[in-house]
Amino acid sequence: MTDPAAELAPRILAGERRALARAITLVESGRADHRAQATALLERLASAGKQALRIGLSGTPGVGKSTFIESFGMMLVRQGLKVAVLAVDPSSARSGGSILGDKTRMERLSREPNAFIRPSPSQAQLGGVARRTREAVSLCEAAGFDVVLIETVGVGQSETLVAEMTDLFILLMAPAGGDELQGVKRGIMEMADMILVNKADGDLKPAALRTMSDYAGALRLLRKRPQDPEGFPKAVAVSALAEEGLKAAWEDMGALTAWRRENGHFDRRRAEQARHWFETEVREGLLARLQSDPEIRAQMQALGSAVAEGQTAPAAAAAEMLAALQR
């Protein structure tokens, strides 16, 4: 039988889109044999040492993320760059498949030979980030893409998770009144490297410029981060529809990335992220083992029932379970 890792690795390194799509399907699979094959494939590709600029993009539904990504992606493609988009859709509770179908909303970009768009169902994962998105990013890097855009659902803790797998975290906001600024969580503001206020065109342009000014003021009040040069994080007004402000935003992203590379923050952050995902993988593996062992699962269920019925305290039941695992 053909070894998928041996077959796909050279084709991905050659930039074959079909092979890349097959590989992403492989890493997204929950089957144990596919998991082993995906791990072997990623191990083979890791030695290639290719890097892309990873950009995370989040924002509330209706802010225009797909329109922005298409316009922004088209601009990058026109500059001669290869762009991959990993759009994490909400999952259908019934089928587990994508609901929004982002690829259908980026018609121009999807036709570009130097662009690759992959919608992935979030599969009820924490924060709406697909379970293997970070591995899909590695595959896109190995395939020679220069920029990888990761669009998240923009709910719950997706912002925290996407910040742990990207080099730049961009928050896309819509024009709004000053009171709406109070609704933006401080934690999200602290994670953002840039805030882009979209829809700065037509009748909404004055409101967008006011909103940009509000966010700029809020960012200046936040604690200065060591990974930011003077003037960052910043707020910028853009129009995805009119394709205005996109070039300036890209130049700002490039300047920030260059400064971080020169000062060691870029590589240090990548190393921290690799360690974070290693520890996450270990934790997930341990939890999966708890579920796969019938004896352990039965004991978990029994102790869970005892806790639910008030027969034992949660802490005591957990200590008993952990003691049993050590025997």
Side-chain angles (χ1 to χ4, degrees), residues 20-292:
L20 175 60
R22 278 186 57 195
I24 293 177
T25 299
L26 188 66
V27 301
E28 288 178 347
S29 173
R31 281 175 43 175
D33 57 333
H34 288 173
R35 189 74 227 129
Q37 292 166 3
T39 302
L41 174 61
L42 290 162
E43 192 69 20
R44 280 174 177 264
L45 295 173
S47 59
K50 294 185 179 181
Q51 273 195 351
L53 181 62
R54 308 170 183 173
I55 301 176
L57 185 74
S58 192
T60 54
V63 77
K65 291 194 295 294
S66 294
T67 306
F68 172 81
I69 288 174
E70 179 165 59
S71 297
F72 188 66
M74 289 295 294
M75 179 198 69
L76 297 179
V77 167
R78 285 194 290 267
Q79 293 184 14
L81 299 174
K82 293 183 67 178
V83 180
V85 179
L86 302 175
V88 184
D89 281 353
S91 292
S92 163
R94 179 171 298 178
S95 67
S98 296
I99 294 173
L100 298 181
D102 275 295
K103 192 167 184 177
T104 64
R105 295 185 284 133
M106 302 181 198
E107 292 181 7
R108 286 187 301 150
L109 191 59
S110 64
R111 290 195 295 266
E112 286 291 330
N114 283 333
F116 176 83
I117 303 175
R118 174 73 179 216
S120 299
S122 60
Q123 299 172 339
Q125 292 300 305
L126 176 63
V129 177
R131 176 171 49 92
R132 299 296 173 190
T133 299
R134 63 185 183 275
E135 295 179 350
V137 171
S138 298
L139 292 171
C140 291
E141 286 186 316
F145 285 91
D146 302 298
V147 179
V148 180
L149 295 168
I150 306 169
E151 177 195 358
T152 71
V153 177
V155 292
Q157 294 185 22
S158 59
E159 292 84 3
T160 304
L161 292 180
V162 78
E164 286 294 343
M165 65 176 78
T166 54
D167 305 311
L168 298 176
F169 176 60
I170 310 299
L171 193 57
L172 200 63
M173 305 300 292
D179 291 341
E180 296 245 348
L181 184 63
Q182 305 301 321
V184 179
K185 295 179 182 177
R186 180 184 174 91
I188 297 173
M189 293 276 286
E190 288 179 335
M191 283 188 294
D193 295 305
M194 287 181 66
I195 292 178
L196 303 184
V197 181
N198 194 22
K199 304 184 180 181
D201 51 61
D203 294 341
L204 285 175
K205 189 167 185 176
L209 293 175
R210 286 195 302 271
T211 302
M212 179 195 72
S213 180
D214 289 341
Y215 284 128
L219 289 171
R220 282 195 293 270
L221 296 175
L222 295 177
R223 178 173 55 87
K224 182 72 175 173
R225 306 182 305 181
Q227 70 267 34
D228 292 329
E230 192 63 35
F232 285 89
K234 64 165 57 178
V236 178
V238 300
S239 168
L241 193 62
E243 299 189 3
E244 295 176 356
L246 302 181
K247 185 177 180 181
W250 173 239
E251 288 172 354
D252 285 335
M253 293 178 203
L256 176 57
T257 303
W259 186 89
R260 286 180 175 174
R261 285 186 185 277
E262 290 168 7
N263 291 273
H265 295 290
F266 188 92
D267 291 335
R268 189 179 306 119
R269 181 63 177 150
R270 283 273 179 116
E272 289 171 355
Q273 288 176 346
R275 177 182 289 275
H276 169 83
W277 290 114
F278 155 70
E279 293 173 354
T280 299
E281 196 71 29
V282 171
R283 284 193 293 271
E284 289 179 356
L286 289 172
L287 289 172
R289 184 167 294 183
L290 287 176
Q291 294 298 320
S292 62

